[in-house]
Amino acid sequence: MNAAYIEKQVSQLKKNILMQLHHRTLLQFTGQPVVEDSQLLYLLLPKINGEHWSARHEKAASAVAMINAALHEHEKIDEQDATSKSQQLTVLAGDYYSGMYYITLASISDIPLIRALSEAVVEISECKTALYEPEKRDVKEWFEILQVIETKTIEQFLKRFDFDVYIDIACQGLVLTRFKHELQQYQELHQNTHVKRVLEQQKEYAGLSYEQILQYQISDLSSNLIRSIKSSPFLLDEVKTIMLQHIESDMSEHQTMREG
C-alpha cells in the first residue's frame, strides 16, 4: 500500500458520487457539487485499514457524502438575494442532492442509518444557527460546535458500522481540515466568516490577528493528530506512515508560509 493507492480509493469514490449527482442544469448554474477529499478519506479509512468493506458500506459512504454536499449547497444561500435565479437553483441543488442521498440509502434499506443521519443533520443545523447568535461562549464550546458541524454525519456512519475506533482520529482530522480551509479563504479572499467573528471575541486570543489564531490552531491540531496516529493500536503501520507524511507535509507548508 502507498499514497497512490489511498488517492485512487478516494478518487474513485468521488467520481462515482459525482456521476450520481450529475445534473446538467445544476452543473451549469451552481457548479460541481462539493465532495471533499478529506471527508471521503475518513469515510474510507476503515476500508483502507483492512476492515471488512462491502457494497453496502460503499453505498452508505456515498450517501453521507451526498448529504454533506446538500448541506454545503444550502449554506451558500444568500438571505439578501434569495429570490435570484442562481440562488433558487442553489436551493434546488441542495434539495436534489438530498433526494439522491435518500434514494441511495433506500437501496440498502438501512433505516437505523437514515434515522441517525437525520438526527445528525438536525444537530448540524442547530450548531450552524449558533454561529449567528450573539450568545457568549468559551473556546471549548465553540470547538464542540465546529466539531459537530464538520464531523457528525461521518461519526454516525462510523458508529452504524461498528467502526467506532476511527471516530476520534476522523474528528481531529476533519476539524483540522476546516481550520486549514478557513486560513486559505482568509488569505486569498479576506472573508469575514462567522467563525472569524466568534474566535476573535475570545479573550484567549486577545492581541492576535485572525491569521495568527488559525495558524496556532492548525499547529496544535496537527500535533495532536500526529500523536493520535502514532499511538493508535489499530492503524496498520503503512497507513500510519502515509497519513503522517501527509500531515507533516502540510505542516511544513504552513511553516514556510508563516516564515515568508
Side-chain angles (χ1 to χ4, degrees):
M1 184 191 300
N2 53 31
Y5 168 80
I6 293 178
E7 289 174 6
K8 182 179 179 181
Q9 293 294 316
V10 170
S11 176
Q12 186 61 54
L13 180 58
K14 186 173 186 175
K15 179 180 178 182
N16 292 341
I17 293 167
L18 291 177
M19 285 178 60
Q20 293 178 73
L21 295 182
H22 178 77
H23 188 288
R24 185 170 55 84
T25 301
L26 294 177
L27 183 64
Q28 178 182 352
F29 289 97
T30 65
Q32 195 85 277
V34 175
V35 179
E36 297 182 357
D37 289 358
S38 59
Q39 292 182 347
L40 299 184
L41 171 63
Y42 289 108
L43 283 167
L44 288 170
L45 187 54
K47 177 183 181 181
I48 293 166
N49 199 49
E51 304 281 1
H52 169 69
W53 191 269
S54 66
R56 179 185 180 86
H57 293 96
E58 195 84 1
K59 284 189 175 183
S62 297
V64 173
M66 290 175 188
I67 197 61
N68 286 337
L71 288 168
H72 187 276
E73 287 302 311
H74 286 150
E75 196 170 333
K76 287 161 54 178
I77 298 166
D78 184 351
E79 60 190 22
Q80 301 300 322
D81 189 29
T83 60
S84 70
K85 180 178 180 179
S86 63
Q87 288 287 286
Q88 290 178 31
L89 284 167
T90 297
V91 173
L92 290 174
D95 292 346
Y96 178 72
Y97 304 152
S98 293
M100 293 304 299
Y101 146 77
Y102 282 113
I103 289 173
T104 302
L105 276 190
S107 71
I108 58 175
S109 302
D110 197 326
I111 302 303
L113 182 58
I114 292 175
R115 184 182 298 113
L117 290 175
S118 297
E119 291 171 356
V121 169
V122 170
E123 194 171 346
I124 289 169
S125 298
E126 290 173 347
C127 286
K128 286 183 176 181
T129 301
L131 293 174
Y132 292 83
E133 296 169 350
E135 182 179 345
K136 296 287 185 181
R137 293 182 172 88
D138 60 27
V139 172
K140 182 175 181 294
E141 289 175 309
W142 282 121
F143 268 73
E144 290 171 352
I145 285 171
L146 283 175
Q147 180 168 309
V148 169
I149 292 171
E150 297 303 313
T151 72
K152 198 64 181 180
T153 55
I154 293 171
E155 178 184 333
Q156 295 290 50
F157 166 84
L158 294 172
K159 282 182 178 179
R160 174 69 184 98
F161 292 106
D162 297 322
F163 296 140
D164 302 61
V165 292
Y166 296 90
I167 290 174
D168 184 54
I169 285 176
C171 288
Q172 291 183 59
L174 290 164
V175 173
L176 172 59
T177 298
R178 172 61 184 265
F179 277 101
K180 288 178 179 177
H181 179 70
E182 285 282 329
L183 179 61
Q184 181 183 11
Q185 291 293 98
Y186 182 72
Q187 289 175 331
E188 294 178 357
L189 305 173
H190 292 282
Q191 288 185 332
N192 289 312
T193 64
H194 295 294
V195 175
K196 178 177 183 291
R197 177 183 60 80
V198 299
L199 290 182
E200 286 182 333
Q201 291 176 351
Q202 302 304 310
K203 60 184 179 182
E204 291 91 334
Y205 302 137
L208 296 178
S209 69
Y210 185 52
E211 187 168 349
Q212 289 173 321
I213 294 171
L214 292 174
Q215 291 283 12
Y216 169 78
Q217 290 301 334
I218 289 169
S219 176
D220 188 51
L221 288 165
S222 296
S223 298
N224 290 339
L225 181 55
I226 287 171
R227 282 195 294 271
S228 295
I229 292 170
K230 285 182 175 179
S231 63
S232 171
F234 58 87
L235 285 178
L236 299 174
D237 287 342
E238 55 263 43
V239 175
K240 287 184 180 182
T241 299
I242 294 167
M243 293 181 72
L244 290 170
Q245 287 174 347
H246 178 70
I247 296 165
E248 288 167 350
S249 173
D250 278 357
M251 288 180 71
S252 298
E253 284 184 21
H254 282 289
Q255 184 63 32
T256 301
M257 289 169 62
R258 291 177 72 179
E259 292 173 353

